[in-house]
Amino acid sequence: MTSLSITTTATTPFAFPYHCFFDKHYFLITKRIQLKLSRGGTIESNKFSGKSGSNKLFVASSCLTKIQTPVETTYKQGVSHKVQFLVSEFRSLTEPIDRVKRLLYYAEMLAPFDESARLPENRVKGCTTQVWLDAGIDKKGKVWFRADSDSEISKGFCSCLIWVMDGADPEEVVGVTAEELVELNSEWQNVLISMRDKAAALVAERHMK
Amino acid sequence: MVNTNTDKQGQPLTKFCSCIDEQKEPTMEGLVVKLPSFPFLSPNISSSSSSSTFRLGFRRFSASISAAVNEGFVSLGQLTRPDFPILHQQEVNGSKLVYLDNAATSQKPTAVLKSLQNYYEAYNSNVHRGIHYLSAKATDEYELARKKVAAFINASDSAEIVFTRNATEAINLVAYSWGLSNLKPRDEIILTIAEHHSAIVPWQIVAQKTGAILKFVSLDENEVPDVEKLREMISTSTKLVVVHHVSNVLGSVLPIEDIVIWAHAVGAKVLVDACQSVPHMVVDVQGLDADFLVASSHKMCGPTGIGFLFGKSNLLLTMPPFLGGGEMISDVFLDHSTYAEPPSRFEAGTPAIGEAIGLGAAIDYLSGIGMQKIHDYEMELANYLYEKLCSVPNIRIYGPKPSDDVHRAALCSFNIENIHPTDIATFLDQQHGVAIRSGHHCAQPLHRHLGVNASARASLHFYNTEEDVDNFIQSLKDTVSFFNSFK
């Protein structure tokens, strides 16, 4: 998670819209945020839950206020911390419809998926919707995931699971148990199992080399 | 011309009768007329099972009530809803339940629930084996249920009814028993691409074992199986035609009588999948002259775990057993066994006794209303549903357009542009308590032909009302707006 600190020389309270980017693939929907500022000074805005492995926060704003992002406030969470965060976030949404809305919100953040990766071997088995999952190991030995679906709700939980797993050590991915996500439904578990299987296959491939 | 939602006198179906002096309770749908419960006395039930010691709670339609329905004062849905506890007790995600997934399974009236409970409380015992009182009673009721099924579909003899777990098992029975012993290499089995998986997969397995060939009839421009092409496909090589009576996706009805005539002319048999017809209309196996017919109890207000195969006597007599075990034998030696006569030959092991009796109770309940009445009401609901669904923007409804000549079942499978049917079904459930189905409805070849992976489906039964349809349409429009706002 990252907090955003804003310094301004404005003298009256105002509201301004800004876009926050964690990396070029992930972005929050434009928000209009009312910030009550005293004369000059610095305030901390709301914490943003970063849905990306990247730690850099980019902010673009049309107003003239200078915005700074202290790098030191960002930190990388391990996979199991992220899992707990995800579960507690959805547990806090007691109305099922709010979960649906939250998933649709996260669906917007899903990185674009290359058409060429829509292969039968990338289909996640057991889902009533079509879900594709692609994975690989990057130069740093971390596993990357990309996913897509023809359903917005499925895209939503793919987006969440990718936030948990993308950029992690493949061994960490293999170590996540279905029990940790038992509060979330079987479709999540199908994607999770698929991620684990792909990570395990990548680990095995790496050992063979 | 599409029927509008009025009765013959042009009165709206939802007009309420003020002449019935029963207690009335205002509900969200309007007035629900509570009828007195009459203990059910069927002429077929022996005196030992009379209801003198307990009330089965059947609702019997008195002449005045029947007249009220006929004159359109109270719809059949409004009248029968109170019989289904699950419908007026459930609150789903904060909304009242609107159950529109009847093609998947139907709800059960109190009469059926009570008959199940009564079986287990009063006379649960294994059938056909014991000589004590409980066993004799259980056997009587079980065999009575068989007779009820036979009468319900106008089979000439109750020995033509084989109880199975469900229609799927019934089709497998025909495939493994009749199919394996009658099909030879290059024999042809004709099916349509709109068949349920249970009517396709067993034949794929048997075709592989016997060398028979499966031939599939595609859809015509009205999105119904092309009956003319089916007729052309029938040849002297055809040994079996497997067709649905009513499609669980398209809502279309096939002319079974004609198909049977064409098939019989070349000596081929016909297996009718009647899962979506038996619960909703009069089905007469003698009138259809079908060789085999299958249906499931759970789609016709009966319990799960029981279904039946109708097979003509002369066919069943020549068929070898399907499953082996107790009940289906005559004598058992170490090196061989001899088998019982049909239907026992095909009923290995202890059957689902309570469930069969429950199916009998469901048949009594449906017969008490009258299948023609149910069919007529559902036809009106079908037209109402189709008409209202057409008003949803960017919708594509599969199957034929209803008209004077073309009747649809009371179900619609559909897709809305740019919104996945699963997302629609999820939102309908979570936000509005409306239960529909999304997926391929066990008809993947059909969906592939239609060019989609999945569709949403709303399917009605006689206890649904116009208000249910209105509720559904309003919720669906809200769902569409919701998803469109996210784009």
Side-chain angles (χ1 to χ4, degrees), chain B residues 302-314:
Chain B
T304 49
I306 189 98
F308 63 87
L309 164 70
F310 159 80
K312 283 183 175 169
S313 298
N314 60 315

Side-chain angles (χ1 to χ4, degrees), chain A:
Chain A
M1 279 188 283
T2 304
S3 60
L4 172 66
S5 103
I6 300 171
T7 309
T8 179
T9 53
T11 53
T12 49
F14 65 97
F16 65 91
Y18 56 88
H19 303 250
C20 297
F21 300 78
F22 283 87
D23 70 9
K24 62 181 174 191
H25 294 303
Y26 288 81
F27 53 94
L28 296 171
I29 294 167
T30 304
K31 283 178 191 276
R32 192 156 205 92
I33 296 180
Q34 182 83 20
L35 295 172
K36 291 219 162 53
L37 303 170
S38 55
R39 284 173 186 274
T42 306
I43 62 130
E44 290 231 326
S45 79
N46 301 328
K47 287 194 170 8
F48 299 100
S49 48
K51 295 294 172 188
S52 161
S54 162
N55 299 324
K56 268 192 144 170
L57 172 67
F58 302 92
V59 181
S61 170
S62 56
C63 80
L64 299 171
T65 304
K66 195 166 114 181
I67 295 170
Q68 286 174 320
T69 63
V71 173
E72 287 72 26
T73 60
T74 65
Y75 60 95
K76 216 164 165 19
Q77 291 172 298
V79 164
S80 44
H81 282 123
K82 285 179 170 178
V83 168
Q84 283 167 32
F85 177 78
L86 190 66
V87 170
S88 69
E89 178 182 358
F90 277 87
R91 194 189 285 142
S92 72
L93 302 168
T94 47
E95 291 296 315
I97 191 61
D98 291 332
R99 293 186 182 196
V100 171
K101 288 177 179 170
R102 187 64 61 95
L103 285 172
L104 293 177
Y105 172 76
Y106 288 141
E108 303 259 332
M109 292 195 224
L110 194 57
F113 191 80
D114 205 16
E115 276 293 322
S116 61
R118 284 196 176 206
L119 303 164
E121 56 261 34
N122 284 343
R123 277 285 301 274
V124 175
K125 284 191 172 46
C127 289
T128 54
T129 59
Q130 292 188 102
V131 180
W132 294 271
L133 180 71
D134 198 10
I137 301 234
D138 66 15
K139 293 193 203 83
K140 296 182 197 154
K142 307 292 183 193
V143 65
W144 57 260
F145 289 105
R146 289 286 180 264
D148 197 12
S149 174
D150 54 355
S151 148
E152 292 302 307
I153 294 174
S154 297
K155 271 190 187 160
F157 60 75
C158 283
S159 181
C160 292
L161 286 173
I162 286 182
W163 172 71
V164 172
M165 307 291 202
D166 192 40
D169 291 321
E171 286 79 7
E172 257 195 296
V173 175
V174 174
V176 175
T177 58
E179 284 73 32
E180 293 178 66
L181 287 176
V182 77
E183 290 205 25
L184 308 165
N185 71 16
S186 62
E187 301 248 322
W188 293 76
Q189 295 184 13
N190 288 329
V191 178
L192 171 63
I193 289 165
S194 205
M195 284 175 151
R196 274 200 332 224
D197 290 347
K198 283 197 184 281
L202 289 166
V203 166
E205 215 180 282
R206 197 174 52 183
H207 284 318
M208 287 200 346
K209 288 187 180 150

